[in-house]
Amino acid sequence: DKRPYTVYSPYRKKWEGQLSSDFLTHYPSEKYLSRIIKSVKAAPVSLSTLGFKKTDMQFRPPRLNEAVIGNYHETRDFPATEGTSRLSVHLRFGTVSIRHLVRRALELNDTWLGELIWREFFMMILYHFPHVAEQPFRDKYRAMRWIDDAAGFERWVCGKTGYPLVDAGMRELNATGFMHNRVRMLTASFLTKHLLIDWRKGEAYFARKLLDFDLASNNGNWQWAAGCGCDAAPYFRIFNPTTQAQKFDPRQEYIRKWIPELDTDQYPKPVVEHTFARLRALNAFKQL
């Protein structure tokens, strides 16, 4: 019907149906720079002007680990495991070719290809629906009554919610500028569903901290977690942080790496009880 897709599955089906080898060949972008970058007579813009600072952090080179990607569908959800590509920073800054990665994904792993298509999907959503940068994708969620809980937000930011997998994720983010994707989903769900804090506050915090920050993906994933984005049945997806930890970090390897005081009096009690928080979130969304 000539309208943009708003659901991922049919978008992926059409995307793959239209994919051809022409899209995957080397693209000589240097030849077309004049169409992308307009000549500027003023002095060149410095990196410091753009907000970049010198750092001693070491970044992995943009190399694809074929063994990791080959097992991606089995290992991607376990934060203690070397189970993801860790190429998100390179994708964000354009230091790896998306065409090259799609070509290898077609050879190595269909699940990983799906994640690259999710990236394309969220770019398309932002392009056709620019209001999502500031507002929910679905208009009815503008009426959502979020809680202004400064103390709860601070405990989430500092990794002191009392839920170990949530806290480990936030501490990893604060220390490294990275967070495993499974844990990103959990921490975002916790902020928006357990604490009922506006997803835009969490999105903005991730934007400040993530080295691989990309507006389309960050926004799309936060709205997905908050239940106001592109999803057929979004609001009642509420992750249980305890069972998520049991399932995806059963030996607490990831958790104990970031929470050395676990099982001591120094580790805080849960900021909110799960069953209470779940019912509160369901009731709040049902009012819309």
Side-chain angles (χ1 to χ4, degrees):
D1 60 6
K2 306 302 180 182
R3 292 184 296 174
Y5 284 86
T6 59
V7 179
Y8 170 75
S9 295
Y11 173 83
R12 175 177 180 172
K13 183 178 180 180
K14 178 65 72 173
W15 191 99
E16 291 183 302
Q18 295 193 2
L19 184 66
S20 71
S21 59
D22 291 342
F23 293 114
L24 303 178
T25 57
H26 173 71
Y27 189 79
S29 56
E30 294 82 359
K31 291 172 57 177
Y32 303 101
L33 285 180
S34 62
R35 300 185 186 182
I36 302 170
I37 304 175
K38 304 302 181 183
S39 61
V40 179
K41 295 182 179 179
V45 178
S46 68
L47 289 176
S48 60
T49 302
L50 293 174
F52 289 98
K53 295 184 294 185
K54 183 176 177 60
T55 177
D56 294 326
M57 294 181 70
Q58 299 297 310
F59 297 95
R60 298 186 184 190
R63 296 196 189 105
L64 184 64
N65 187 320
E66 293 186 6
V68 168
I69 299 305
N71 294 316
Y72 180 80
H73 58 294
E74 296 178 343
T75 60
R76 65 175 180 147
D77 284 320
F78 299 91
T81 302
E82 188 79 10
T84 61
S85 72
R86 295 299 294 264
L87 290 172
S88 56
V89 170
H90 292 287
L91 277 169
R92 184 260 180 270
F93 284 101
T95 50
V96 68
S97 165
I98 184 61
R99 289 176 174 82
H100 171 67
L101 296 187
V102 169
R103 187 165 62 245
R104 298 312 316 278
L106 288 166
E107 299 167 350
L108 295 170
N109 196 291
D110 185 67
T111 302
W112 192 54
L113 174 64
E115 294 302 301
L116 297 177
I117 299 174
W118 265 109
R119 179 175 174 271
E120 303 275 319
F121 176 73
F122 283 141
M123 288 182 181
M124 180 273 299
I125 291 295
L126 180 61
Y127 177 82
H128 288 290
F129 306 95
H131 73 274
V132 299
E134 302 290 342
Q135 297 293 337
F137 175 81
R138 300 179 185 277
D139 285 343
K140 77 172 187 176
Y141 291 107
R142 294 188 183 207
M144 181 67 181
R145 294 183 177 180
W146 302 107
I147 296 176
D148 184 15
D149 181 1
F153 183 74
E154 184 65 18
R155 286 186 64 170
W156 177 83
V157 161
C158 296
K160 295 182 178 180
T161 67
Y163 286 94
L165 190 54
V166 173
D167 294 340
M170 295 305 298
R171 295 185 191 193
E172 180 187 29
L173 174 64
N174 291 330
T176 70
F178 177 82
M179 190 194 298
H180 187 278
N181 188 59
R182 165 57 58 176
V183 191
R184 293 189 198 198
M185 290 191 290
L186 176 60
T187 55
S189 174
F190 189 87
L191 184 74
T192 57
K193 302 290 179 63
H194 280 70
L195 299 181
L196 276 185
I197 292 176
D198 194 326
W199 59 271
R200 283 163 287 208
K201 292 193 68 174
E203 181 200 23
Y205 189 76
F206 271 31
R208 290 196 301 273
K209 290 290 183 176
L210 284 172
L211 294 173
D212 63 10
F213 165 69
D214 171 88
L215 174 58
S217 293
N218 193 50
N219 180 276
N221 282 307
W222 266 96
Q223 294 214 35
W224 181 89
C228 58
C230 306
D231 205 319
Y235 75 88
F236 48 78
R237 184 199 302 106
I238 302 173
F239 290 124
N240 182 324
T242 301
T243 56
Q244 287 279 302
Q246 293 167 349
K247 184 175 182 180
F248 297 116
D249 192 28
R251 292 190 292 272
Q252 296 187 326
E253 297 171 87
Y254 174 77
I255 287 172
R256 291 188 180 279
K257 176 181 178 180
W258 296 106
I259 310 178
E261 77 275 21
L262 189 72
D263 298 329
T264 72
D265 292 338
Q266 294 179 320
Y267 187 64
K269 300 295 183 184
V271 65
V272 66
E273 195 272 326
H274 169 69
T275 301
F276 162 80
R278 180 179 180 276
L279 292 175
R280 181 177 65 175
L282 289 174
N283 289 332
F285 276 91
K286 287 177 182 178
Q287 302 304 314
L288 302 177

